[in-house]
Amino acid sequence: MKIVTTIQEMQQQMKACRSQGKTVGFVPTMGYLHEGHITLLKEARKDNDVVVLSVFVNPLQFGPNEDFDRYPRDIARDEKMAKEAGVDILFYPSVEEMYPRPLSVQVIVKERVDVLCGKSRPGHFDGVATVLTKLFHIVMPTRAYFGMKDAQQVAVVDGLIRDFNFPIELVAVPTVREADGLAKSSRNVYLSPEERKEAPALYRALQKAQEAIKNGEREPAAIRDLVIDYIQTNTNGVIDYVEVYSYPELKPVAPLSGKIIIAIAVRFTNARLIDNITVDVESSY
Ligand code: AMP
């Protein structure tokens, strides 16, 4: 596995790959790898000649009061896990390498961001879209892999790829969970032991909602109430949002039909957790 820290070397490496006609699978991450990231890497390994992993905690996508400084980092561990997962190139640039001067152009996301995390984290998806535009240009992958754990991000990247004509296939990978249902996340390490015990209730609430749809419930408000009630009864977390929308458009839909997403964000003492479930309403019987 090659470790590359400069954009110039990365571009040279990728040019060499392309001239040999190799397909490239790209997995962008913020590091502190876990089984979720590894699953994305394995998918990329299956489909492509070359697998590129980027590890970059992107300051642009963190708000002023968010956890950029204390976001967990452990590049030695990431290197080891990446090697084991069959990564060919690990791109690990510094903030100065990626943003040597204030940006003169920034990507602003207009659709699919007035709800969910976009609403409670203003500017977050602009930061995501901007760094991905840079990374896509640097790596020029054949395919890019994203986790459905961040379903809104998948919807935004779908728009970015289409609108800016990136010749990249977007691959959305299902959420990887702990045995008790908690979605794997780098931020789970910030849960207290007590909160860690409560946290699987988030997924259970989503499963209850799915079950209710299966049993004929079509009112988004009823689904929302059910999820809120379950989380409030079973955790001490503070609900940031519980929303039900069409997916990937993220528009209100009542009565429920087509493909929908039930998405939640809950604040615990030192970690804000997100999770979601997508349901094909008509085929959920
Ligand atoms: P992050 O490092 O949190 O920015 O995540 C990098 C990529 O891994 C994103 O596409 C995430 O959606 C994906 N990812 C994170 N956690 C999971 C998970 N539990 N299951 C599947 N994909 C995940």
Side-chain angles (χ1 to χ4, degrees), residues 28-30 34 36-37 40 71 146-147 150 153 174-176 184:
T29 77
M30 298 202 297
H34 54 68
H37 301 114
L40 266 56
Y71 194 84
F146 291 87
D150 301 283
Q153 176 166 271
T175 302
V176 179
K184 298 217 180 207

Side-chain angles (χ1 to χ4, degrees), residues 27-37 39-40 54 56 61 71 145-151 153-154 173-177 182-187:
V27 180
T29 77
M30 298 202 297
Y32 210 72
L33 302 182
H34 54 68
E35 208 49 49
H37 301 114
T39 302
L40 266 56
S54 65
F56 180 61
Q61 69 192 64
Y71 194 84
Y145 294 78
F146 291 87
M148 277 302 285
K149 159 143 183 294
D150 301 283
Q153 176 166 271
V154 171
V173 179
T175 302
V176 179
R177 300 179 179 281
L182 175 63
K184 298 217 180 207
S185 166
S186 306
R187 290 184 171 103

Side-chain angles (χ1 to χ4, degrees), residues 6-216:
T6 69
I7 293 170
Q8 197 187 11
E9 193 194 341
M10 197 62 206
Q11 286 178 317
Q12 277 163 3
Q13 292 282 344
M14 299 324 292
K15 202 171 161 191
C17 288
R18 278 191 302 278
S19 69
Q20 293 164 32
K22 290 182 171 164
T23 55
V24 176
F26 177 42
V27 180
T29 77
M30 298 202 297
Y32 210 72
L33 302 182
H34 54 68
E35 208 49 49
H37 301 114
I38 300 303
T39 302
L40 266 56
L41 291 169
K42 284 189 180 150
E43 287 298 313
R45 184 70 284 167
K46 265 201 299 209
D47 302 340
N48 303 278
D49 300 320
V50 175
V51 174
V52 177
L53 163 71
S54 65
V55 170
F56 180 61
V57 185
N58 173 35
L60 235 55
Q61 69 192 64
F62 288 79
N65 297 318
E66 292 183 1
D67 58 351
F68 174 72
D69 288 328
R70 59 176 193 92
Y71 194 84
R73 295 162 169 90
D74 188 344
I75 192 64
R77 183 170 154 275
D78 287 349
E79 266 181 51
K80 192 166 166 281
M81 288 176 76
K83 210 184 275 178
E84 282 167 12
V87 170
D88 297 298
I89 303 176
L90 166 59
F91 183 45
Y92 176 54
S94 65
V95 172
E96 294 69 35
E97 179 70 11
M98 288 294 278
Y99 304 118
R101 65 195 89 81
L103 287 170
S104 58
V105 178
Q106 201 195 340
V107 181
I108 307 292
V109 184
K110 296 189 161 191
E111 295 270 333
R112 305 175 176 181
V113 287
D114 53 347
V115 294
L116 308 178
C117 289
K119 194 169 165 188
S120 52
R121 302 182 71 187
H124 168 69
F125 286 110
D126 297 342
V128 169
T130 300
V131 79
L132 286 177
T133 299
K134 285 174 72 79
L135 289 169
F136 286 168
H137 280 125
I138 295 165
V139 178
M140 293 203 199
T142 317
R143 301 184 183 86
Y145 294 78
F146 291 87
M148 277 302 285
K149 159 143 183 294
D150 301 283
Q152 188 171 21
Q153 176 166 271
V154 171
V156 166
V157 175
D158 173 60
L160 176 71
I161 286 179
R162 281 167 198 254
D163 288 353
F164 286 1
N165 307 100
F166 284 104
I168 299 173
E169 182 190 332
L170 168 61
V171 183
V173 179
T175 302
V176 179
R177 300 179 179 281
E178 303 286 355
D180 60 12
L182 175 63
K184 298 217 180 207
S185 166
S186 306
R187 290 184 171 103
N188 289 350
V189 292
Y190 291 127
L191 296 170
S192 70
E194 195 48 45
E195 289 172 337
R196 175 63 190 81
K197 275 190 218 142
E198 293 174 5
L202 272 58
Y203 184 50
R204 286 204 304 275
L206 293 170
Q207 286 177 306
K208 292 217 171 287
Q210 187 177 27
E211 193 64 24
I213 295 171
K214 205 169 150 187
N215 291 333

